[in-house]
Amino acid sequence: MDIFDKCHRFTRAKETIEAGIYPYFIPLSGNDGPRVMMENREVIMIGSNNYLGLTHDERVVEAAVEATRRYGTSCSGSRFLNGTLDIHLELEEKLARFMNRESALIFSTGYMSNVGAISTIAGKNDYIIIDKSDHASIYAGTWAATGATVKRFPHGDINKLEQVLAGLNVNKGKIIVCDGVFSMEGDVVDLHSIVPLAKKYNARIYIDEAHGIGVLGKHGRGACEFLGMEEPVDIVMSTFSKSFASLGGFVAGPEVVINFIKHFAGPLVFSASPTPAATAAVLKTLDIIQTEPEHMQRLKYIGDTMRREFKTLGFDIGTSKDTPIIPIYIREDEKTFMFWRRLFDEGVFANAVISPAVAPDKALIRTSFMSSLTDNDLEQVLAAMRKVGNELHII
Ligand SMILES: Cc1ncc(COP(=O)(O)O)c(C=O)c1O
């Protein structure tokens, strides 16, 4: 038996490429935000998490260039040793203040933030309780939490969550970890139900605000702010790869917990720190999020409009609510690829999501919108969706 045998047996990607419906790893040869160049033509992008369209804001670009000139292209080391810059500390201070938390800690990606924070907080004698639809990086955090017991409850099922909590050993530590906005479903975590349960069963709460910051809440602090539930949430985490238009992530919470993570999280201690360009870009976008609410307002208008229009057209959009993430459930892998291809032919790029990323009967086209899309872009998207939906008998 050769350890590579499974690689030879994996032929599905090749077959899909040969059928001309492979939706992954398509290179972009140009990108101005809402419109990108793919396969030598311009397409409208409705598959990006660049929610506020800030990746191409001149001020953000300039900040990244300026930081590169000043500090170079890489920190060439971990935060722990030679890789901490003064702008890393400035960003941590500003993030803590923005999120109303005692302390914040940045990582080089959002994925690493979840893996580092969750695996450090939870260990032997602890429970991690997660929603089944939580992001892959939360799952990875639970796998890295050596000795911790992981319990899952069906997406949004509060009765099941209570059953799980009621069955746990009262003498062990507990933390409930959920996405604030679920990245595929586009719905918001039910903190109004989770918080009383956490209190009853003495569990801490950790919320991933990757798709919440810059999107929800009066000040853009995310799902917790939107729900009026910031205070009872112990730890918030987010990424810089979405509204912050950069790369990296952070966790924020009580100083004593953040300090512990800072000294024990492998992805922080043993991996290089965020680049000067990425860090400076976040400092600038954080400033823009706090001073220019018009981007968030436009995003909300677009999300609400497209949700209403998709529903009117007859698409199954599941439980998406209040966010710019709107899934179009196709519920069959092959048909999802065909829908994706036809949409792409019509000049629109969305994301095809199949099992195992979602359950096999939940294959979907994930649409996510950015505030810089014009009304004209949206009309073109709707026309393409109507055409392809009719053609494939989905609406
Ligand atoms: C909910 C959620 N958490 C974490 C991450 C990871 O973030 P990053 O892309 O910065 O690694 C993502 C990315 O898609 C996400 O959707």
Side-chain angles (χ1 to χ4, degrees):
M1 147 105 176
D2 179 354
I3 197 164
F4 291 164
D5 282 349
K6 56 181 140 335
C7 314
H8 293 287
R9 281 196 304 273
F10 173 63
T11 55
R12 196 173 172 201
K14 226 170 155 197
E15 286 154 17
T16 319
I17 291 168
E18 280 159 11
I21 53 172
Y22 182 72
Y24 307 122
F25 299 103
I26 300 182
L28 278 75
S29 55
N31 182 356
D32 82 352
R35 289 186 178 254
V36 299
M37 290 298 292
M38 282 172 150
E39 294 185 352
N40 296 321
R41 65 202 168 90
E42 194 182 77
V43 297
I44 302 175
M45 172 55 77
I46 58 161
S48 170
N49 300 309
N50 179 18
Y51 294 122
L52 303 179
L54 294 176
T55 54
H56 291 72
D57 185 291
E58 265 311 311
R59 297 164 293 178
V60 179
V61 173
E62 203 40 56
V65 171
E66 170 58 26
T68 306
R69 290 227 166 81
R70 178 156 176 210
Y71 300 95
T73 51
S74 168
C75 298
S76 311
S78 113
R79 291 289 312 280
F80 202 57
L81 298 173
N82 61 302
T84 292
L85 302 176
D86 52 2
I87 52 173
H88 290 146
L89 300 185
E90 183 187 343
L91 178 56
E92 287 174 341
E93 251 179 65
K94 288 188 168 163
L95 284 168
R97 224 175 306 144
F98 172 58
M99 297 301 290
N100 287 331
R101 303 279 161 180
E102 281 178 20
S103 192
L105 179 67
I106 62 170
F107 288 74
S108 297
T109 70
Y111 193 101
M112 290 162 76
S113 312
N114 270 336
V115 174
I118 294 167
S119 67
T120 306
I121 297 169
K124 211 161 70 160
N125 291 326
D126 294 322
Y127 292 107
I128 312 170
I129 304 105
I130 63 171
D131 184 296
K132 277 190 182 166
S133 290
D134 277 354
H135 188 259
S137 55
I138 292 177
Y139 276 81
T142 68
W143 299 327
T146 318
T149 306
V150 183
K151 299 281 182 186
R152 299 185 303 162
F153 60 97
H155 178 50
D157 189 334
I158 299 300
N159 291 331
K160 283 278 162 38
L161 170 62
E162 171 140 34
Q163 275 175 26
V164 167
L165 288 167
L168 304 183
N169 182 336
V170 291
N171 296 317
K172 292 191 174 187
K174 301 167 197 77
I175 189 159
I176 301 169
V177 185
C178 284
D179 288 13
V181 172
F182 287 88
S183 55
M184 294 300 147
E185 292 82 357
D187 57 349
V188 178
V189 64
D190 181 3
L191 277 177
H192 289 290
S193 303
I194 292 176
V195 165
L197 287 181
K199 286 214 169 93
K200 182 170 170 190
Y201 293 98
N202 196 23
R204 298 285 183 178
I205 304 179
Y206 176 122
I207 297 294
D208 176 334
E209 291 279 18
H211 299 274
I213 292 186
V215 175
L216 290 177
K218 185 157 182 263
H219 304 92
R221 292 198 295 266
C224 303
E225 186 193 14
F226 175 70
L227 298 167
M229 284 280 165
E230 287 175 282
E231 195 272 328
V233 169
D234 299 280
I235 308 265
V236 286
M237 167 276 166
S238 191
T239 166
F240 300 143
S241 62
K242 305 185 194 317
S243 292
F244 286 115
S246 185
L247 183 66
F250 74 94
V251 286
E255 200 272 335
V256 64
V257 179
I258 299 302
N259 187 51
F260 185 72
I261 297 170
K262 184 170 165 179
H263 289 90
F264 292 100
L268 185 110
V269 175
F270 300 108
S271 190
S273 58
T275 63
T279 310
V282 184
L283 276 165
K284 187 52 77 181
T285 51
L286 179 58
D287 195 35
I288 294 172
I289 289 171
Q290 290 174 286
T291 53
E292 298 179 7
E294 58 270 27
H295 307 290
M296 237 171 67
Q297 286 156 5
R298 168 84 185 152
L299 182 67
K300 173 159 175 44
Y301 166 80
I302 292 177
D304 289 347
T305 304
M306 296 309 270
R307 196 171 4 262
R308 190 186 62 237
E309 293 295 326
F310 286 164
K311 251 194 219 165
T312 307
L313 283 174
F315 286 108
D316 171 6
I317 63 165
T319 50
S320 164
K321 198 165 161 257
D322 301 313
T323 74
I325 302 172
I326 313 174
I328 306 286
Y329 286 95
I330 311 285
R331 302 189 185 279
E332 277 174 52
D333 289 359
E334 179 90 4
K335 206 165 182 183
T336 301
F337 282 167
M338 279 159 63
F339 190 98
W340 169 84
R341 179 71 235 183
R342 282 293 300 116
L343 207 55
F344 190 40
D345 292 341
E346 295 298 321
V348 176
F349 185 92
N351 289 308
V353 184
I354 60 159
S355 59
V358 289
D361 63 334
K362 293 217 170 111
L364 59 93
I365 296 289
R366 179 183 185 271
T367 70
S368 54
F369 294 88
M370 61 183 103
S371 61
S372 46
L373 284 154
T374 64
D375 289 349
N376 188 34
D377 293 332
L378 300 179
E379 275 165 29
Q380 282 188 49
V381 169
L382 286 171
M385 292 291 261
R386 183 184 304 113
K387 185 170 178 190
V388 177
N390 278 323
E391 215 177 272
L392 297 183
H393 307 293
I394 283 157
I395 52 174

